[in-house]
C-alpha cells in the first residue's frame, strides 16, 4: 500500500512539474505575441522626400515613444517572470489563475499603448495605462508570494531571489501607482516611472554598503 501511494505521489509531482513547465512556455509565447502586437500598431511614415518622411516621423513621435516605453515595460515584466519561474517546479496556491490574470495585462498593454499615444484626455489615457501596469505588477507580487508560501520552488533557489523580486517589482508598482495622482497635475508624470525606481535602487545600494561597513 505504501509503495503504491509513493508511486502515485511521484506521478502526481511529475505531472505538476510538467504543468509548471508548460505554463512557463505558454507565458513566454503570450509575452512574445504582446510585443509583436506593439510593433503592428506602429504607423508607417509617409512622404515623397526625405523632408516629408522626417516630418511624418515627427507627427507620429507619440506612437514611437509609446512603443519604446511599452517594449521596455513588457520586457521588464518578462525578465522578472523568467527569473522567478526558472525555479518553479510545481503549480498550486492559485498560481495558474494569477498567471492568467498577469498574462491578460500583458495582452492589454498593446491596447493601452495605443490609448496613451493618442491626443487629448491625457489624464484618462495615462491613468488607464498606469492602472494596467499596477494590476500586472500586483498580480506578479501575489504569484511570488504564493510560490514562496507553498514552497513551489526548487531546493537550490537562491535565498535572495524572493527579496529581490519583491523589492524590484514592488518599486515599479509604487512608481506606476504614484504617477496616477501626479498625472492630474502635470504631463511629467512619466518621470515617476524612472525617478522612483532609480532612487529606490540607490537607497538599497546605500543601505547595503552601510550594513557591510557596520
Amino acid at each position: 500500500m505504501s509503495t503504491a501511494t509513493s508511486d502515485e505521489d511521484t506521478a502526481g509531482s511529475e505531472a505538476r512539474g510538467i504543468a509548471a513547465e508548460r505554463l512557463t512556455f505558454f507565458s513566454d509565447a503570450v509575452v512574445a505575441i504582446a510585443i509583436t502586437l506593439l510593433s503592428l500598431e506602429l504607423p508607417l511614415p509617409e512622404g515623397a522626400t526625405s523632408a516629408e518622411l522626417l516630418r511624418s516621423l515627427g507627427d507620429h513621435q507619440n506612437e514611437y515613444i509609446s512603443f519604446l516605453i511599452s517594449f521596455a515595460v513588457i520586457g521588464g515584466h518578462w525578465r522578472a517572470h523568467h527569473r522567478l519561474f526558472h525555479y518553479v517546479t510545481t503549480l498550486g496556491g492559485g498560481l495558474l489563475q494569477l498567471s492568467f490574470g498577469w498574462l491578460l495585462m500583458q495582452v492589454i498593454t498593446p491596447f493601452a499603448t495605443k490609448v496613451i499615444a493618442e491626443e487629448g484626455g491625457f489624464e484618462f489615457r495615462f491613468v488607464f495605462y498606469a492602472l494596467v501596469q499596477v494590476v500586472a505588477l500586483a498580480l506578479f507580487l501575489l504569484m511570488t508570494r504564493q510560490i514562496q508560501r507553498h514552497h513551489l520552488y526548487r531546493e537550490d533557489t537562491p535565498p535572495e531571489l524572493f527579496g529581490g523580486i519583491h523589492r524590484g517589482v514592488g518599486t515599479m508598482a509604487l512608481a506606476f501607482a504614484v504617477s496616477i495622482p501626479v498625472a492630474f497635475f502635470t504631463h511629467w508624470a512619466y518621470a515617476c516611472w524612472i525617478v522612483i525606481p532609480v532612487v529606490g535602487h540607490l537607497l538599497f545600494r546605500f543601505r547595503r554598503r552601510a550594513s557591510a561597513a557596520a
Side-chain angles (χ1 to χ4, degrees), residues 65-213:
I65 293 174
S66 298
F67 164 78
L68 292 176
I69 291 174
S70 290
F71 185 88
V73 167
I74 295 178
H77 283 298
W78 177 82
R79 182 185 177 194
H81 186 274
H82 178 73
R83 181 184 178 192
L84 176 63
F85 274 75
H86 177 71
Y87 297 98
V88 174
T89 58
T90 185
L91 299 182
L95 188 58
L96 182 62
Q97 292 81 359
L98 290 171
S99 293
F100 270 86
W102 179 80
L103 288 172
L104 175 61
M105 295 303 105
Q106 305 310 308
V107 174
I108 289 178
T109 294
F111 171 73
T113 303
K114 188 174 181 179
V115 170
I116 201 173
E118 296 294 327
E119 299 289 343
F122 171 79
E123 293 83 359
F124 169 80
R125 298 180 186 281
F126 185 93
V127 169
F128 175 70
Y129 187 95
L131 277 176
V132 170
Q133 304 313 319
V134 169
V135 172
L137 293 164
L139 287 170
F140 193 83
L141 287 174
L142 287 174
M143 289 161 57
T144 305
R145 180 183 177 185
Q146 293 302 93
I147 291 169
Q148 187 176 16
R149 179 181 179 184
H150 294 278
H151 301 282
L152 308 177
Y153 51 90
R154 291 181 353 210
E155 293 182 359
D156 62 339
T157 301
E160 68 276 8
L161 174 68
F162 297 107
I165 288 178
H166 281 295
R167 183 174 58 254
V169 175
T171 301
M172 285 306 305
L174 177 65
F176 280 105
V178 170
S179 71
I180 291 175
V182 174
F184 289 94
F185 298 96
T186 175
H187 287 198
W188 284 97
Y190 288 102
C192 294
W193 303 351
I194 299 175
V195 173
I196 292 178
V198 169
V199 171
H201 178 69
L202 292 176
L203 288 175
F204 171 73
R205 291 184 63 182
F206 176 78
R207 286 199 301 264
R208 186 169 62 178
R209 289 181 179 179
S211 299

